[in-house]
Amino acid sequence: MAGRAGEGPQPPVLHGDGWAEQLLDHLRPGARDPRRVVAWLAGAVQGTVCLQDAGGTLLAGTPVALDAGLAADVIAGRISAAAVQDGDRHLRLVAVRAPDPRPTAAGLLAVARAAPFDRRAAEIVTHTAGVVELLLRERELTAAGHRLRRATADLRLAILQLLMVEDTVSARRVAAGLWPGLLDTDSACVYIVEGQPAERDGLAEDCLVVTRGQALVVRCPAMDGHVIVLSPAPATAERLRSLVDGRPGTFLGGSVRQNLAQTSTAYGQAVSALAVARFRPDQAAVYAERTHPERLMDPAALHAWSAAVLRPLDALPHHTRAELLATTRLGLEFTAVSAAKVLGVSRNTVRARMDRVETLLGADFSDLTVRAAAHLALNTQAVLTEGLAAAVPRPSGVRLVDLLAGPALRAWAHDLLDRLVRDGRDLRGTLRAWIAAGGNAERAAHDLGVHAQTVREHVRGAEPVLERQLLATGTDLYEVVLAHLALGDLAVPVLLRSNPGQPDSPVHG
């Protein structure tokens, strides 16, 4: 091989055949592809073209046999270009520079052809290398931007997951570096914006814009169409309402203001409100907008009962107890798979933690009435602060049946379930049988002597009437279960044993 020579960049020279215009055309938006540029170059100089990165990996074109030492000199920056003759081949090598001040090149553009390189062909190769450099720089910047956005999104999710398990100290520490002051608060609201899964990235960006840096915006890891927004700023609710207003297929559900340690409770409230929003003309709802059964119960009795139900967990270390309670709250609100995605753990971990809580409580979570009672206890304890706990007197021997016997709660239950009577179908009877069957349509159908599809249609038909989601487990369903329990339509469940040392002394709820 002979004729090695170093060459520097040359100014562009336009020729009558318009090759420069054709080359620049590859910089138009929508046409920026190094592979197309390499293919064009091969045709323009009637040769074989190879674009490879600094490590020798082919990026575009056809492999060209090169002298390793010469290629290394060009890539290392010892020479910027070289023209050689190798037998009956004429080669031209040009460095493709990196987007930073490194002396080494990002890649190498090599062209081989049978004819010698005249001035026109040499200019085309040199200026094509410049265009390829611009395209590779753009690609690297785009990739870097994507990595940065992905890393930022992962951090947002990590912060949310820490809050979900009540680790507010770590959540604040992680958030402080990127979003100073965002979590310098004791409480916040959680919102869920729902749209089409294919449009979620754009929806998340819109949420970031309208919240003006005053919110933690997270693409929900469990539901493809959901964007979770946690914000302490009072203006966030109206800003998100303006986002969904008049936007078909987009809905907003929000929680009441909760302590940061109760983020999982706020999340469940937002999901519940989202179900209501789907039936609202303004496509938005807040959890506090409707009456909930726990608000109609005697607070002191409710707190005493909840404390008694969860007492078997009190002996656990604080972190373990908080982890079990947070996981079980989410596991009762959603499926184990969804809860696992939200928490960033495996579904087996979720099931193992819930199994442990079942064992400690002596409960059977396959029973919907038991799940509803446990859900009530867990969420009551979640919003009970230390100060409130100390201030509330603790009556003893409170049972779930006592909590359900109040006149206000019974009136609420009558009002809720009587809505189903207005339908010509026996929605109430079907719903009662379906709950008694643990939400299993086939078992309920067997008990009623109807087809399973009829059961599903009746349950689905009850959802808009009650303004609650029933086929998806969660707060909405548990409220309807409590209404049945309050009216005596279902038996009050055996949830726990009053004294773990006396296994033969079960008590009702």
Side-chain angles (χ1 to χ4, degrees):
M1 182 177 291
R4 179 182 301 190
E7 299 183 3
Q10 301 176 16
V13 178
L14 299 181
H15 289 274
D17 60 4
W19 65 263
E21 289 83 353
Q22 294 175 27
L23 177 58
L24 292 175
D25 196 50
H26 287 281
L27 294 175
R28 288 186 300 103
R32 298 171 182 171
D33 186 347
R35 293 170 300 181
R36 292 180 57 183
V37 176
V38 166
W40 173 86
L41 176 60
V45 300
Q46 295 297 298
T48 301
V49 182
C50 165
L51 174 64
Q52 64 183 44
D53 64 17
T57 301
L58 183 68
L59 300 178
T62 304
V64 173
L66 301 173
D67 177 85
L70 178 60
D73 285 344
V74 175
I75 290 173
R78 288 185 284 272
I79 55 176
S80 61
V84 299
Q85 181 176 357
D86 180 17
D88 58 355
R89 292 190 313 162
H90 295 268
L91 296 171
R92 201 163 187 89
L93 286 71
V94 182
V96 177
R97 292 297 166 198
D100 52 43
R102 289 177 296 178
T104 57
L108 178 69
L109 185 68
V111 183
R113 71 178 201 163
F117 284 84
D118 56 14
R119 181 177 178 82
R120 172 184 177 277
E123 289 173 353
I124 292 176
V125 172
T126 299
H127 294 300
T128 299
V131 169
V132 169
E133 178 182 322
L134 290 174
L135 295 181
L136 292 182
R137 284 187 180 186
E138 180 188 46
R139 176 179 290 184
E140 176 57 31
L141 289 173
T142 300
H146 177 74
R147 290 193 298 270
L148 178 60
R149 288 190 296 273
R150 179 61 183 270
T152 304
D154 288 345
L155 275 176
R156 291 193 186 103
L157 176 58
I159 294 167
L160 179 67
Q161 289 169 339
L162 288 169
L163 292 174
M164 285 286 192
V165 294
E166 304 181 18
D167 192 350
T168 56
V169 174
S170 297
R172 286 190 175 105
R173 187 179 298 123
V174 175
L178 289 176
W179 302 281
L182 177 62
L183 297 183
D184 290 349
T185 178
D186 292 328
S187 61
C189 292
V190 171
Y191 306 89
I192 297 177
V193 185
E194 180 183 66
Q196 295 300 319
E199 300 172 358
R200 183 170 68 166
D201 286 349
L203 186 60
E205 291 300 319
D206 290 342
C207 289
L208 285 168
V209 171
V210 300
T211 54
R212 303 174 188 176
Q214 295 181 301
L216 182 70
V217 178
V218 179
R219 292 165 178 80
C220 179
M223 302 297 292
D224 291 340
H226 288 187
V227 177
I228 303 169
V229 180
L230 182 145
S231 175
T236 298
E238 284 307 312
R239 289 172 181 170
L240 292 176
R241 281 181 182 270
S242 69
L243 178 63
V244 304
D245 185 32
R247 193 167 180 164
T250 307
F251 306 95
L252 171 66
S255 74
V256 298
R257 200 168 188 88
Q258 295 281 6
N259 188 285
L260 284 181
Q262 276 74 56
T263 296
S264 64
T265 298
Y267 176 63
Q269 291 179 347
V271 171
S272 181
L274 186 64
V276 177
R278 297 189 185 102
F279 305 112
R280 293 286 181 86
D282 61 353
Q283 303 165 209
V286 176
Y287 185 77
E289 289 178 352
R290 77 185 194 206
T291 302
H292 297 279
E294 65 272 17
R295 299 186 181 184
L296 302 174
M297 299 175 184
D298 177 77
L302 177 59
H303 292 147
W305 172 80
S306 300
V309 168
L310 301 177
R311 188 166 296 129
L313 283 78
D314 290 349
L316 299 173
H318 174 76
H319 176 74
T320 302
R321 182 180 185 275
E323 188 175 68
L324 291 178
L325 291 178
T327 302
T328 304
R329 277 199 299 270
L330 284 174
L332 291 174
E333 195 74 43
F334 310 101
T335 65
V337 173
S338 295
K341 290 179 179 178
V342 170
L343 292 172
V345 298
S346 73
R347 60 183 178 182
N348 289 336
T349 298
V350 170
R351 292 191 178 110
R353 291 175 183 174
M354 292 185 69
D355 288 345
R356 187 176 180 186
V357 172
E358 271 189 295
T359 300
L360 288 169
L361 300 187
D364 177 11
F365 288 163
S366 66
D367 186 326
L368 275 180
T369 61
V370 172
R371 290 173 71 91
H375 182 267
L376 176 63
L378 287 165
N379 282 283
T380 298
Q381 287 298 104
V383 299
L384 185 63
T385 64
E386 291 183 7
L388 181 59
V392 174
R394 294 293 184 90
S396 59
V398 180
R399 302 174 302 165
L400 179 58
V401 67
D402 301 322
L403 297 174
L404 298 172
L409 183 66
R410 288 177 59 82
W412 165 82
H414 272 298
D415 178 69
L416 179 65
L417 298 185
D418 282 352
R419 301 181 200 175
L420 299 172
V421 179
R422 303 164 194 164
D423 193 285
R425 300 165 293 178
D426 185 16
L427 297 185
R428 184 166 176 176
T430 302
L431 188 56
R432 180 174 60 248
W434 179 74
I435 293 172
N440 186 293
E442 284 75 15
R443 284 171 49 198
H446 179 269
D447 294 339
L448 293 170
V450 298
H451 196 279
Q453 186 58 30
T454 301
V455 173
R456 295 187 186 95
E457 289 174 357
H458 282 198
V459 175
R460 194 175 292 112
E463 289 185 322
V465 177
L466 300 175
E467 289 191 333
R468 284 162 171 82
Q469 253 186 329
L470 302 175
L471 291 171
T473 187
T475 298
D476 286 0
L477 174 59
Y478 300 142
E479 289 187 355
V480 174
V481 172
L482 290 177
H484 282 83
L485 294 174
L487 297 181
D489 290 2
L490 295 170
V492 177
V494 175
L495 181 60
L496 77 161
R497 301 182 184 279
S498 58
N499 187 339
Q502 299 175 5
D504 297 324
S505 58
V507 296
H508 290 292

